[in-house]
Amino acid sequence: ASLQATPLQLLHFSPKMKLIAIVSVLVLAIGASNAKSLRASSITDAELLTVSKDLHTGDVNGAVVTLDLQSQTAAGSMADVAPGPIIVSDPLADFAKPTFAAFQALLNNYQKNVTIQDTFTPEQLAEEVAFIDAVMETSVMQSLHTFLVSKGEASADVAVFKQFLSTIWFGRWSEYVAGVVASSGWEHTNVFERLEDNTIVGYHSWIYLYNEQEDGDFNYLGYIETLDTGKTTVVSMPVDLYGSTKAFTQFNFGASPELELALGTLCFVARPDLACVVSGSNGAAYNWDTHTVTYNGVQYVESSHPVFEPHL
């Protein structure tokens, strides 16, 4: 509302005062929208364990994925000790579910080279909105929203909460190449980004992994560590994708898009850049790391993924 009123007030200002007033309003608006993510959270570790267990248990859209882990390897090893693929079941029926379909529609929207600035068509931007709309129709995201509202960490207005999700996940930022706005938390986490030395950063989506496996572009080298969470399987592994590499990364096989978004959002609010302990539906405790990046004064998700050692 204040932004709409500002032009009327500016009619009586000098050009210099107009500029100062506009900048001041924008700074205040950004600061107000982002203040909650920058302050300490009231959410306890016990509450994190309880709500995350409920989110896992309530993930009715999660896929049943059969893995063939084959041989164990080590972080950074590019030796192929797993001759077969890691996913040996067919999840295509699950991929037809609304949130999976909305997720898949986003995957071809991004430049993977961090030296190239992303540009988007109106249709691609609409796909981001459609994804947020789809996940907010699920009980997982509705449960998360209810919890955050109860803790004073989110607006009860669903439209405001959707805007918050859109900002932290799809807001664009520059980190790897100065002046090149090439990244978002959703892109970094669910697709990947390739640095100039041909190494990969990000890449935590088992759905994207499956697509690349089927296309013959992902070579499974073996697993480092695994954890059964009851409904999903967390696996860490080194990566060989298109010949680009990463020493290790982590995936939550079987998780729906809304479960992964919910866990990342929960930890963005409760423990940004800190150990965020969560629980699977079977009570197995592990960490979910939500790293952040601040760009032009706004805090965004940088990456969001599981890790293994709980810090209780």
Side-chain angles (χ1 to χ4, degrees):
S2 62
L3 287 175
Q4 293 174 350
T6 298
L8 297 177
Q9 298 168 355
L10 292 181
L11 291 176
H12 305 289
F13 289 0
S14 68
K16 182 177 180 180
M17 288 301 295
K18 286 180 183 179
L19 179 60
I20 293 172
I22 291 171
V23 170
S24 298
V25 168
L26 290 176
V27 168
L28 286 172
I30 291 170
S33 65
N34 201 45
K36 192 166 292 292
S37 63
L38 293 174
R39 66 168 176 81
S41 167
S42 63
I43 299 171
T44 67
D45 282 352
E47 289 172 323
L48 285 172
L49 288 168
T50 298
V51 71
S52 59
K53 184 176 182 179
D54 290 344
L55 294 174
H56 281 83
T57 301
D59 190 24
V60 296
N61 284 333
V64 178
V65 178
T66 303
L67 303 179
D68 182 7
L69 294 172
Q70 300 165 71
S71 298
Q72 193 167 20
T73 186
S77 174
M78 293 297 118
D80 190 347
V81 298
I86 182 173
I87 300 177
V88 294
S89 57
D90 183 353
L92 293 183
D94 291 300
F95 286 1
K97 297 172 182 176
T99 57
F100 282 88
F103 180 100
Q104 294 271 33
L106 292 167
L107 293 178
N108 63 353
N109 289 356
Y110 307 101
Q111 294 283 351
K112 300 178 182 69
N113 187 330
V114 297
T115 67
I116 301 175
Q117 185 150 321
D118 287 309
T119 57
F120 299 93
T121 66
E123 292 75 18
Q124 289 171 329
L125 294 175
E127 287 171 351
E128 295 180 354
V129 175
F131 175 75
I132 296 295
D133 287 342
V135 296
M136 282 302 300
E137 289 294 319
T138 68
S139 60
V140 167
M141 286 300 294
Q142 290 168 6
S143 295
L144 172 70
H145 184 214
T146 298
F147 171 74
L148 293 178
V149 170
S150 75
K151 299 298 295 181
E153 297 287 352
S155 169
D157 187 322
V158 173
V160 173
F161 186 63
K162 285 182 178 181
Q163 184 57 57
F164 169 72
L165 294 174
S166 179
T167 297
I168 66 171
W169 287 99
F170 291 107
R172 310 299 298 173
W173 40 268
S174 174
E175 183 177 33
Y176 301 106
V177 179
V180 179
V181 184
S183 306
S184 74
W186 199 93
E187 173 190 358
H188 181 99
T189 296
N190 293 293
V191 188
F192 67 87
E193 296 181 290
R194 185 185 289 113
L195 303 182
E196 292 181 89
D197 63 359
N198 211 37
T199 59
I200 288 172
V201 290
Y203 191 49
H204 302 287
S205 168
W206 73 268
I207 303 168
Y208 189 75
L209 181 154
Y210 177 80
N211 293 342
E212 299 306 301
Q213 173 185 287
E214 293 303 288
D215 290 342
D217 294 319
F218 174 77
N219 179 26
Y220 175 56
L221 303 174
Y223 73 96
I224 301 168
E225 192 172 359
T226 69
L227 177 72
D228 175 13
T229 75
K231 284 197 167 185
T232 70
T233 305
V234 179
V235 182
S236 63
M237 66 182 76
V239 170
D240 177 6
L241 180 66
Y242 302 109
S244 298
T245 61
K246 185 177 181 181
F248 66 95
T249 194
Q250 309 84 5
F251 301 91
N252 198 15
F253 287 93
S256 69
E258 58 265 31
L259 177 60
E260 297 206 287
L261 197 79
L263 293 172
T265 302
L266 173 65
C267 292
F268 177 89
V269 172
R271 302 288 187 276
D273 301 303
L274 297 171
C276 181
V277 65
V278 297
S279 171
S281 61
N282 62 357
Y286 63 105
N287 275 353
W288 194 278
D289 281 3
T290 304
H291 299 288
T292 72
V293 58
T294 299
Y295 180 65
N296 286 342
V298 182
Q299 190 179 29
Y300 302 99
V301 173
E302 180 189 37
S303 65
S304 172
H305 57 83
V307 291
F308 285 88
E309 293 296 329
H311 296 263
L312 294 173

